[in-house]
Amino acid sequence: MTATVPPKAPTFLGLPTAPRGVGHLRGDQSFPDAARGALRDGQLRANLGHATTTIRNKRARVVAELPDWAQLREAGRALKAATMARLDDHLEELERQVTARGGVVHWARDANEANEIVTRLVLATGAPEVVKVKSMATQEIGLNEALEAAGLDVFETDLAELIVQLGEDKPSHILVPAIHKNRAEIREIFARTIPGVDPGLTDDPRRLAMAARQHLRERFLRARVAVSGANFAVAETGTLTVVESEGNGRMCLTLPETLITVMGIEKVVPTWRDLEVFLQLLPRSSTGERMNPYTSTWAGVTPGDGPQEFHLVLLDNGRTAVLADEVGREALHCIRCSACLNVCPVYERTGGHSYGSVYPGPIGAILSPQLTGVEDNASLPYASSLCGACYEVCPVAIDIPSILVHLRAEHVEAQEKPTAEGVAFKALARAMSHPRLWHLAQRAAGLGRLVSRGRPTLPNALPPPVSGWTRSRDLPTPPAKTFVQQWTEEHGR
């Protein structure tokens, strides 16, 4: 078989501009507006707090077992940086190897093109339905909706994704899409939506898992087409890799006649030796396990064994635009472990839906705005306290706080009209550049002592535009004497 390659859009493959990402990468509300509603939901916060604490503690235990974790983390960072520097070469080698092993490679500039390719491939088989392995890339492009619009039935087979699908909900976590649901809520969804479910079903985790297994087993056995994502792709051999914990991925990757994999172009690694590093980093950082229960690898088509037709869709959807940013390109190093979400105080209190993108949490706050263009997701870089916890746990050492600051600066520079905050800081900069103006400003600030009436901070109910600052921050009362005055009194001029 030969690869089908439309004109290549990536900047690094020769064209001057890269496409921006479309699909499920932006919400209808800004982050602050969506977060306010989440903060009022006590049950949501309880569910998130319990789940993230449990995963966080598991990760900490298994990471502490490795004396060379810091070196392993640095190896992951260096490998990702080196791969991004020659991404075009590695992708073309991957294409050659997949094709040589009987697969077909398709290049998709954006979500619309990827959806068209996959829909066409499924319809060509004549199958009325597809089974899916959990995949962030297919969520990103809205593939389920595209397939359903073409009259096809789509079945998620990952337990958490099944819960979300049956509940007509949206994922809220990279690793645990239904993290915002507790056992009682899951039991209600199953009892309401699964045909023939035991009416005596309880919220015992084992009973819930058995109900889902029975519901899915029939679909596995009759499926003719499966759609998957990929955690990694090895360029030197054309090998795709999926890691998972339930076995549903193994069923989808081996039983159907046709397998279609949708993969972001940043998931490629040059060699098998490189894969070794990431298969140590990923399970410890994601599920808190020493290794993934199921690690499936395949290359092209093997006669008489597994799917006899294999298609690989390489997805850009804004990634080459990210690659062009020397600071922001680090976001493409992400291996989707979700460790940053589990330590983020903002995510733990607001949940994933507040981000409006399939990529929530700290990594979503830097990845989604870059895929779409910062102005289309302008509130996300501000969805962080910049505490740095995300950087400390990232298995490939992505400096998320620095990228957040970088994207905030991009947003400010893109504003055509000056903001009140921008005007205030320009005035402050001018005052601090001229000693006489600075001393006058200090004397004027001393009037704040009259407003504070002896309290250590100024009141929150100050008039606009200052109220926008003091509503969420404490503004200290100006001291009775400035530093210069105190120095002069103690040391003389």
Side-chain angles (χ1 to χ4, degrees):
M1 299 182 182
T2 59
T4 57
V5 186
K8 296 178 180 178
T11 302
F12 52 81
L13 292 181
L15 293 188
T17 58
R20 283 297 184 181
V22 294
H24 293 176
L25 292 169
R26 61 176 70 85
D28 298 327
Q29 293 180 296
S30 68
F31 178 84
D33 292 337
R36 288 189 190 98
L39 289 170
R40 290 192 290 267
D41 188 337
Q43 184 62 62
L44 171 67
R45 294 180 64 180
N47 294 348
L48 288 170
H50 173 73
T52 54
T53 299
T54 300
I55 300 171
R56 190 165 61 233
N57 292 340
K58 285 182 64 180
R59 175 203 171 274
R61 285 195 295 271
V62 295
V63 165
E65 295 174 354
L66 293 184
D68 62 343
W69 177 257
Q71 292 90 336
L72 193 64
R73 184 177 183 239
E74 172 57 22
R77 185 206 64 77
L79 284 170
K80 278 293 185 179
T83 302
M84 292 303 111
R86 295 183 54 220
L87 187 55
D88 54 342
D89 295 334
H90 299 312
L91 288 172
E92 290 177 341
E93 178 64 16
L94 175 66
E95 177 188 29
R96 283 190 292 270
Q97 296 300 329
V98 169
T99 304
R101 288 161 173 76
V104 182
V105 178
H106 309 259
W107 298 77
R109 295 177 180 86
D110 58 22
N112 297 329
E113 202 167 274
N115 286 334
E116 186 278 326
I117 291 169
V118 177
T119 302
R120 171 168 48 80
L121 292 173
V122 176
L123 291 174
T125 68
E129 62 186 26
V130 300
V131 290
K132 284 185 72 237
V133 187
K134 180 180 181 298
S135 163
M136 298 300 297
T138 59
Q139 291 174 20
E140 173 188 328
I141 64 177
L143 179 61
N144 286 16
E145 293 84 344
L147 293 175
E148 289 167 354
L152 297 162
D153 292 326
V154 183
F155 298 105
E156 296 286 355
T157 64
D158 175 83
L159 178 57
E161 291 285 1
L162 177 66
I163 294 166
V164 169
Q165 184 181 43
L166 294 178
E168 298 181 346
D169 201 351
K170 293 180 180 179
S172 66
H173 190 277
I174 289 176
L175 180 69
V176 193
I179 196 172
H180 55 290
K181 298 291 187 184
N182 60 32
R183 291 185 300 173
E185 292 169 317
I186 295 168
R187 184 248 165 226
E188 186 278 326
I189 291 172
F190 282 8
R192 175 167 47 85
T193 60
I194 295 181
V197 72
D198 181 1
L201 180 68
T202 68
D203 64 1
D204 174 66
R206 185 176 183 277
R207 295 285 302 276
L208 292 172
M210 293 300 292
R213 180 183 183 186
Q214 184 177 3
H215 172 67
L216 290 172
R217 184 55 60 97
E218 175 191 353
R219 287 157 179 77
F220 285 134
L221 295 176
R222 75 185 186 207
R224 291 162 51 194
V225 181
V227 175
S228 82
N231 293 98
F232 307 101
V234 182
E236 72 173 355
T237 59
T239 304
L240 282 295
T241 304
V242 166
V243 297
E244 37 110 9
S245 301
E246 300 170 18
N248 63 300
R250 183 70 56 83
M251 303 280 274
C252 288
L253 297 171
T254 56
L255 293 178
E257 300 166 8
T258 300
L259 173 61
I260 304 167
T261 297
V262 181
M263 185 190 85
I265 56 175
E266 79 280 15
K267 294 298 187 70
V268 67
V269 297
T271 69
W272 268 97
R273 191 70 181 270
D274 302 329
L275 183 62
E276 172 192 342
V277 173
F278 296 110
L279 290 183
Q280 294 179 74
L281 289 168
L282 180 56
R284 285 179 167 82
S285 295
S286 57
T287 55
E289 296 170 299
R290 296 176 183 87
M291 65 180 292
N292 292 99
Y294 294 88
T295 299
S296 301
T297 64
W298 72 99
V301 173
T302 302
D305 182 15
Q308 296 302 288
E309 186 177 344
F310 172 59
H311 297 269
L312 172 61
V313 181
L314 294 173
L315 176 68
D316 185 341
N317 206 38
R319 285 160 175 78
T320 53
V322 181
L323 191 67
D325 187 324
E326 293 185 4
V327 176
R329 69 177 58 154
E330 253 191 90
L332 296 178
H333 297 185
C334 176
I335 59 175
R336 308 291 190 269
C337 70
S338 77
C340 62
L341 280 70
N342 300 325
V343 299
C344 178
V346 176
Y347 175 86
E348 186 174 335
R349 287 159 178 79
T350 63
H353 293 158
S354 299
Y355 293 80
S357 167
V358 297
Y359 301 114
I363 189 61
I366 64 171
L367 183 58
S368 299
Q370 293 192 89
L371 291 175
T372 62
V374 174
E375 292 311 294
D376 282 345
N377 262 314
S379 66
L380 288 188
Y382 296 90
S384 170
S385 64
L386 299 179
C387 67
C390 50
Y391 170 71
E392 295 299 326
V393 299
C394 177
V396 289
I398 300 172
D399 191 354
I400 293 177
S402 293
I403 300 175
L404 286 167
V405 173
H406 170 68
L407 296 178
R408 292 179 186 185
E410 277 194 18
H411 170 60
V412 171
E413 291 170 3
Q415 303 309 301
E416 295 181 0
K417 296 181 179 179
T419 63
E421 187 178 41
V423 170
F425 275 105
K426 282 186 177 180
L428 182 61
R430 179 171 175 77
M432 295 178 74
S433 302
H434 297 79
R436 186 176 179 184
L437 289 177
W438 178 243
H439 292 311
L440 289 173
Q442 286 181 312
R443 290 178 185 175
L447 297 175
R449 296 184 60 78
L450 300 177
V451 179
S452 67
R453 298 180 180 178
R455 289 173 295 205
T457 60
L458 295 175
N460 293 334
L462 290 176
V466 183
S467 59
W469 180 272
T470 59
R471 187 165 48 243
S472 56
R473 303 172 181 85
D474 288 331
L475 189 61
T477 296
K481 296 179 181 180
T482 68
F483 173 78
V484 172
Q485 288 173 329
Q486 294 182 56
W487 179 272
T488 301
E489 289 179 4
E490 294 182 17
H491 303 281
R493 293 183 183 276

